[in-house]
Amino acid sequence: MEDRKLTVRAVERALDILMCFTKNTDLSLTEIAAQIDLHKSTVHRLLNTLEERGFVIRNHATEKYRLGIKIWELSNHLSQDDDPAVLLLPEMERLRDQLGETVSLYLRDGNERIRIQAVQSNQPIRRVAPVGARLPLTVGASSKVLVAFAEPADQQAILDSLEWSSVITREEYMKQLEQIRENGYATSYEEREPGAAAVAAPIFDRTGKVAAALSVSGPVSRLSVDTLHQFAPVLIESAKAMGIMMK
């Protein structure tokens, strides 16, 4: 039993290492060890194994690591039949063409949201939305949508585990969630980053549970508060259509 526990722990640590690359492309041994709070000698042994199997590549000139070819091979074998990033892309492109702004798709992962797909605006000045970005659940239109429409037990667990600051209190946040549920959508205006605005709506699966958040974002020079609210009905209809597409 002890050997089994050690084996499982080694797998968990190896996966923790791979997850470090969700935020950075290249990382040193020291940076990885700091992120997962492990001794460098332990991380070095795990990295050697991952490198031998092709899951990471080491740049000998910089002594930094990056994801290897095996990750790409695995991703190519993902089923596209129920992958929302692939399944919903045509509707996202249609919405981008209709509204002229960047369209993003988010899923919740614990206390973060992940941008799993984005269709960039064709405008010369636009908000670039990198796929794979992880963002906190306390700020941003998409974050608030994912929390506002979560199942009551999930929502309570999220609220209990979030870190609150002087920027927004739990009480203020809960009032916002109530308004979002009433409106059916959320907006943010320079809330997460200066110069950016967004409006987001929930995508419900066929069981009625919130599966993702759909957002339209861009610079505040084009997206005034009034414009965000004007976009909302179009966004909600698009989100409904996407919900029908999802299995």
Side-chain angles (χ1 to χ4, degrees), residues 14-15 17-18 21 46-58 65-74:
L15 292 173
I17 288 174
L18 293 177
F21 294 95
L46 291 167
L47 282 169
N48 283 344
T49 301
L50 290 170
E51 185 178 6
E52 288 173 4
R53 295 301 184 92
F55 287 94
V56 298
I57 298 171
R58 179 161 58 104
Y65 295 84
R66 67 190 317 168
L67 293 177
I69 193 70
K70 285 295 181 181
I71 299 294
W72 178 80
E73 290 179 4
L74 286 174

Short mmCIF file of all heavy atoms in Angstrom, two decimals, residues 14-15 17-18 21 46-58 65-74:
data_model
loop_
_atom_site.label_atom_id
_atom_site.label_comp_id
_atom_site.label_asym_id
_atom_site.label_seq_id
_atom_site.Cartn_x
_atom_site.Cartn_y
_atom_site.Cartn_z
N ALA A 14 4.17 14.85 -11.21
CA ALA A 14 4.47 15.01 -12.63
C ALA A 14 3.40 15.82 -13.34
O ALA A 14 3.70 16.69 -14.18
CB ALA A 14 4.62 13.63 -13.29
N LEU A 15 2.14 15.56 -12.98
CA LEU A 15 1.04 16.33 -13.56
C LEU A 15 1.09 17.79 -13.11
O LEU A 15 0.79 18.70 -13.89
CB LEU A 15 -0.30 15.70 -13.18
CG LEU A 15 -0.58 14.33 -13.79
CD1 LEU A 15 -1.86 13.74 -13.21
CD2 LEU A 15 -0.68 14.42 -15.30
N ILE A 17 3.74 19.44 -12.55
CA ILE A 17 4.78 20.06 -13.37
C ILE A 17 4.22 20.46 -14.73
O ILE A 17 4.44 21.57 -15.21
CB ILE A 17 5.97 19.09 -13.55
CG1 ILE A 17 6.76 18.97 -12.24
CG2 ILE A 17 6.90 19.57 -14.67
CD1 ILE A 17 7.86 17.93 -12.28
N LEU A 18 3.48 19.55 -15.36
CA LEU A 18 2.91 19.86 -16.67
C LEU A 18 1.94 21.02 -16.59
O LEU A 18 1.88 21.85 -17.50
CB LEU A 18 2.21 18.62 -17.23
CG LEU A 18 3.12 17.44 -17.59
CD1 LEU A 18 2.29 16.25 -18.07
CD2 LEU A 18 4.15 17.83 -18.66
N PHE A 21 2.85 24.79 -17.13
CA PHE A 21 2.98 25.37 -18.46
C PHE A 21 1.66 25.93 -19.00
O PHE A 21 1.59 26.33 -20.16
CB PHE A 21 3.55 24.33 -19.43
CG PHE A 21 4.97 23.93 -19.10
CD1 PHE A 21 5.22 22.80 -18.33
CD2 PHE A 21 6.04 24.69 -19.54
CE1 PHE A 21 6.52 22.44 -18.00
CE2 PHE A 21 7.34 24.33 -19.22
CZ PHE A 21 7.59 23.21 -18.45
N LEU A 46 11.88 14.18 -11.84
CA LEU A 46 10.63 14.06 -12.58
C LEU A 46 10.74 14.65 -13.98
O LEU A 46 10.21 14.09 -14.95
CB LEU A 46 9.51 14.76 -11.81
CG LEU A 46 9.09 14.09 -10.49
CD1 LEU A 46 8.23 15.03 -9.67
CD2 LEU A 46 8.36 12.79 -10.76
N LEU A 47 11.43 15.77 -14.09
CA LEU A 47 11.63 16.39 -15.41
C LEU A 47 12.44 15.49 -16.33
O LEU A 47 12.17 15.42 -17.53
CB LEU A 47 12.31 17.75 -15.25
CG LEU A 47 11.42 18.91 -14.80
CD1 LEU A 47 12.27 20.11 -14.42
CD2 LEU A 47 10.42 19.29 -15.89
N ASN A 48 13.42 14.81 -15.77
CA ASN A 48 14.22 13.89 -16.58
C ASN A 48 13.35 12.79 -17.18
O ASN A 48 13.49 12.43 -18.36
CB ASN A 48 15.33 13.26 -15.73
CG ASN A 48 16.49 14.22 -15.51
OD1 ASN A 48 16.63 15.21 -16.21
ND2 ASN A 48 17.32 13.92 -14.53
N THR A 49 12.43 12.26 -16.37
CA THR A 49 11.53 11.22 -16.86
C THR A 49 10.58 11.77 -17.92
O THR A 49 10.36 11.14 -18.96
CB THR A 49 10.71 10.63 -15.69
OG1 THR A 49 11.60 10.09 -14.72
CG2 THR A 49 9.76 9.54 -16.19
N LEU A 50 10.02 12.95 -17.65
CA LEU A 50 9.12 13.57 -18.62
C LEU A 50 9.84 13.89 -19.92
O LEU A 50 9.27 13.76 -21.02
CB LEU A 50 8.51 14.85 -18.03
CG LEU A 50 7.49 14.65 -16.90
CD1 LEU A 50 7.15 15.99 -16.24
CD2 LEU A 50 6.23 13.98 -17.42
N GLU A 51 11.10 14.28 -19.82
CA GLU A 51 11.89 14.58 -21.01
C GLU A 51 12.17 13.30 -21.81
O GLU A 51 12.07 13.29 -23.05
CB GLU A 51 13.21 15.24 -20.62
CG GLU A 51 14.04 15.70 -21.82
CD GLU A 51 15.32 16.39 -21.40
OE1 GLU A 51 15.63 16.43 -20.20
OE2 GLU A 51 16.02 16.89 -22.31
N GLU A 52 12.50 12.23 -21.12
CA GLU A 52 12.76 10.95 -21.79
C GLU A 52 11.53 10.46 -22.55
O GLU A 52 11.65 9.86 -23.62
CB GLU A 52 13.18 9.91 -20.76
CG GLU A 52 14.58 10.11 -20.19
CD GLU A 52 14.87 9.14 -19.06
OE1 GLU A 52 14.01 8.27 -18.79
OE2 GLU A 52 15.96 9.25 -18.46
N ARG A 53 10.35 10.72 -21.98
CA ARG A 53 9.10 10.28 -22.62
C ARG A 53 8.56 11.28 -23.64
O ARG A 53 7.53 11.02 -24.25
CB ARG A 53 8.04 10.03 -21.54
CG ARG A 53 8.36 8.88 -20.59
CD ARG A 53 8.54 7.55 -21.34
NE ARG A 53 8.77 6.43 -20.47
CZ ARG A 53 7.81 5.65 -19.99
NH1 ARG A 53 6.55 5.86 -20.31
NH2 ARG A 53 8.12 4.65 -19.19
N GLY A 54 9.21 12.42 -23.79
CA GLY A 54 8.80 13.38 -24.80
C GLY A 54 7.73 14.36 -24.37
O GLY A 54 7.18 15.08 -25.20
N PHE A 55 7.42 14.41 -23.06
CA PHE A 55 6.37 15.32 -22.60
C PHE A 55 6.91 16.72 -22.32
O PHE A 55 6.15 17.68 -22.28
CB PHE A 55 5.70 14.76 -21.35
CG PHE A 55 4.81 13.59 -21.64
CD1 PHE A 55 5.27 12.30 -21.54
CD2 PHE A 55 3.50 13.79 -22.06
CE1 PHE A 55 4.46 11.21 -21.83
CE2 PHE A 55 2.67 12.72 -22.35
CZ PHE A 55 3.15 11.41 -22.24
N VAL A 56 8.21 16.86 -22.12
CA VAL A 56 8.85 18.16 -22.03
C VAL A 56 10.14 18.14 -22.83
O VAL A 56 10.71 17.07 -23.12
CB VAL A 56 9.17 18.59 -20.57
CG1 VAL A 56 7.90 18.71 -19.75
CG2 VAL A 56 10.16 17.65 -19.93
N ILE A 57 10.59 19.32 -23.23
CA ILE A 57 11.85 19.49 -23.96
C ILE A 57 12.72 20.46 -23.19
O ILE A 57 12.22 21.49 -22.71
CB ILE A 57 11.59 20.04 -25.38
CG1 ILE A 57 10.73 19.07 -26.19
CG2 ILE A 57 12.90 20.31 -26.10
CD1 ILE A 57 10.26 19.64 -27.52
N ARG A 58 13.99 20.16 -23.06
CA ARG A 58 14.90 21.07 -22.36
C ARG A 58 15.78 21.79 -23.37
O ARG A 58 16.40 21.17 -24.24
CB ARG A 58 15.78 20.30 -21.37
CG ARG A 58 16.79 21.18 -20.62
CD ARG A 58 17.29 20.48 -19.38
NE ARG A 58 17.92 19.21 -19.67
CZ ARG A 58 19.25 19.00 -19.67
NH1 ARG A 58 20.07 20.00 -19.41
NH2 ARG A 58 19.74 17.81 -19.91
N TYR A 65 12.72 24.61 -19.74
CA TYR A 65 11.90 23.53 -20.25
C TYR A 65 10.64 24.09 -20.91
O TYR A 65 10.14 25.15 -20.56
CB TYR A 65 11.49 22.59 -19.12
CG TYR A 65 12.63 21.86 -18.47
CD1 TYR A 65 13.37 22.46 -17.46
CD2 TYR A 65 12.96 20.57 -18.86
CE1 TYR A 65 14.43 21.80 -16.85
CE2 TYR A 65 14.01 19.89 -18.25
CZ TYR A 65 14.74 20.52 -17.25
OH TYR A 65 15.78 19.84 -16.65
N ARG A 66 10.13 23.32 -21.87
CA ARG A 66 8.85 23.64 -22.49
C ARG A 66 8.14 22.34 -22.82
O ARG A 66 8.74 21.27 -22.77
CB ARG A 66 9.03 24.50 -23.73
CG ARG A 66 9.72 23.84 -24.90
CD ARG A 66 10.05 24.84 -25.98
NE ARG A 66 8.96 25.76 -26.21
CZ ARG A 66 9.07 26.87 -26.93
NH1 ARG A 66 10.23 27.20 -27.46
NH2 ARG A 66 8.04 27.65 -27.12
N LEU A 67 6.85 22.41 -23.14
CA LEU A 67 6.09 21.21 -23.45
C LEU A 67 6.65 20.52 -24.69
O LEU A 67 7.06 21.18 -25.65
CB LEU A 67 4.62 21.54 -23.65
CG LEU A 67 3.86 22.01 -22.41
CD1 LEU A 67 2.43 22.38 -22.77
CD2 LEU A 67 3.87 20.96 -21.32
N GLY A 68 6.62 19.19 -24.68
CA GLY A 68 7.19 18.41 -25.77
C GLY A 68 6.17 17.93 -26.79
O GLY A 68 4.96 18.18 -26.67
N ILE A 69 6.66 17.18 -27.76
CA ILE A 69 5.84 16.74 -28.89
C ILE A 69 4.74 15.77 -28.46
O ILE A 69 3.68 15.69 -29.09
CB ILE A 69 6.74 16.08 -29.96
CG1 ILE A 69 5.99 15.89 -31.28
CG2 ILE A 69 7.31 14.77 -29.45
CD1 ILE A 69 5.70 17.18 -31.98
N LYS A 70 4.94 15.05 -27.37
CA LYS A 70 3.92 14.09 -26.93
C LYS A 70 2.62 14.78 -26.53
O LYS A 70 1.53 14.23 -26.71
CB LYS A 70 4.45 13.26 -25.75
CG LYS A 70 5.46 12.21 -26.13
CD LYS A 70 4.85 11.13 -27.02
CE LYS A 70 5.88 10.06 -27.37
NZ LYS A 70 5.30 9.04 -28.27
N ILE A 71 2.75 15.98 -25.99
CA ILE A 71 1.54 16.73 -25.63
C ILE A 71 0.75 17.05 -26.89
O ILE A 71 -0.48 16.92 -26.91
CB ILE A 71 1.92 18.04 -24.89
CG1 ILE A 71 2.66 17.74 -23.58
CG2 ILE A 71 0.68 18.89 -24.63
CD1 ILE A 71 1.81 17.04 -22.54
N TRP A 72 1.44 17.44 -27.93
CA TRP A 72 0.79 17.75 -29.21
C TRP A 72 0.13 16.50 -29.78
O TRP A 72 -0.99 16.55 -30.30
CB TRP A 72 1.82 18.31 -30.18
CG TRP A 72 1.27 18.62 -31.54
CD1 TRP A 72 0.56 19.71 -31.92
CD2 TRP A 72 1.38 17.79 -32.70
NE1 TRP A 72 0.22 19.62 -33.26
CE2 TRP A 72 0.71 18.46 -33.75
CE3 TRP A 72 1.99 16.56 -32.96
CZ2 TRP A 72 0.63 17.92 -35.03
CZ3 TRP A 72 1.90 16.03 -34.23
CH2 TRP A 72 1.23 16.70 -35.26
N GLU A 73 0.81 15.37 -29.70
CA GLU A 73 0.26 14.12 -30.21
C GLU A 73 -1.03 13.75 -29.48
O GLU A 73 -2.02 13.31 -30.09
CB GLU A 73 1.28 12.99 -30.07
CG GLU A 73 2.46 13.12 -31.01
CD GLU A 73 3.47 12.01 -30.84
OE1 GLU A 73 3.20 11.09 -30.03
OE2 GLU A 73 4.52 12.03 -31.49
N LEU A 74 -1.02 13.90 -28.16
CA LEU A 74 -2.22 13.59 -27.38
C LEU A 74 -3.38 14.52 -27.75
O LEU A 74 -4.52 14.08 -27.89
CB LEU A 74 -1.91 13.72 -25.88
CG LEU A 74 -1.06 12.61 -25.25
CD1 LEU A 74 -0.73 12.97 -23.81
CD2 LEU A 74 -1.79 11.27 -25.31
#
